[in-house]
Amino acid sequence: MKRSRWLSFAPLGMKLVLTGLLLGGLGALILPVAVKAQSGLVITGSEGVPVLSYRLDFRGIRGRLDRYRLTIPPQDLAVSEVQINGDRNFDARVDPENVRLEVEGNPVDLEEVYWNEEFRSLEVVARQPIAAGQEMRLILSNVRNPAAAGIYRVEARVRGTEPNPLFRNVGNWLITIDDPERIGF
């Protein structure tokens, strides 16, 4: 009874401190569940570089075959070439014979597809330029996922059709590769 009387006469600042401590203690009980679900790791894109959406059709299991669906947002220029570059640890193997480019869901005829395994770079050249303002999707079938589980940064760049075109950075895909033991296979 004395405590409740003391609290009623405590200054407002003291009440706020006590409330903060109480809520902080409750947060400590609740927060570890959320952190455990994320493995304690939060990754965002580089400053000013958007994170692009993607989908792996076969769950992204390390060392297994998969199909990548990599979305490229609409651009403000006509696009003649798409390039993706994996980080130095991205040891996936891409089959250039099984690469497709779609615009608004329709396949695009390709002039050339080149996979450079040493530099982890894929270049996809369209036969005809892709008009500005259309969403593109690279579909990479028969990809051997990286050998190690983790999150890999893969950069997307496009080359326009203007005179003396340069590659422009579009964003990054943060591709998650899982370990079969971790997800219960």
Side-chain angles (χ1 to χ4, degrees):
M1 199 66 142
K2 285 185 177 182
R3 281 190 188 168
S4 63
R5 229 185 237 158
W6 177 82
L7 192 55
S8 65
F9 292 111
L12 180 60
M14 181 64 82
K15 289 179 184 177
L16 291 175
V17 168
L18 291 173
T19 303
L21 289 172
L22 177 63
L23 290 176
L26 288 175
L29 295 174
I30 296 168
L31 190 58
V33 174
V35 171
K36 184 177 179 184
Q38 296 178 18
S39 301
L41 181 64
V42 177
I43 294 183
T44 62
S46 302
E47 186 174 327
V49 178
V51 176
L52 305 176
S53 64
Y54 73 96
R55 188 176 90 206
L56 302 180
D57 285 354
F58 305 111
R59 301 180 67 180
I61 307 300
R62 70 177 171 86
R64 295 194 183 165
L65 290 177
D66 218 321
R67 181 179 302 119
Y68 291 33
R69 296 177 187 271
L70 308 172
T71 302
I72 300 170
Q75 301 298 302
D76 61 354
L77 73 153
V79 173
S80 63
E81 183 176 348
V82 175
Q83 182 184 61
I84 68 171
N85 297 303
D87 65 29
R88 63 184 174 86
N89 298 318
F90 185 70
D91 62 346
R93 289 193 309 258
V94 175
D95 180 0
E97 299 294 320
N98 286 297
V99 172
R100 191 168 76 229
L101 180 62
E102 292 181 353
V103 174
E104 303 290 334
N106 299 314
V108 171
D109 290 331
L110 300 178
E111 183 74 32
E112 181 180 7
V113 176
Y114 178 70
W115 169 245
N116 185 325
E117 190 166 352
E118 180 182 355
F119 294 109
R120 293 160 182 84
S121 174
L122 177 71
E123 297 174 20
V124 179
V125 181
R127 186 159 285 151
Q128 297 293 323
I130 298 159
Q134 299 186 55
E135 183 178 86
M136 294 173 274
R137 182 166 289 123
L138 264 177
I139 300 173
L140 314 176
S141 298
N142 202 28
V143 175
R144 176 71 61 186
N145 285 330
I151 298 175
Y152 296 90
R153 184 182 63 80
V154 178
E155 175 187 54
R157 301 182 340 152
V158 297
R159 185 189 312 233
T161 58
E162 70 273 13
N164 301 319
L166 298 174
F167 277 107
R168 297 177 185 201
N169 193 354
V170 174
N172 296 322
W173 295 286
L174 298 177
I175 297 177
T176 301
I177 301 299
D178 279 323
D179 191 347
E181 289 84 33
R182 189 179 75 75
I183 59 175
F185 274 107

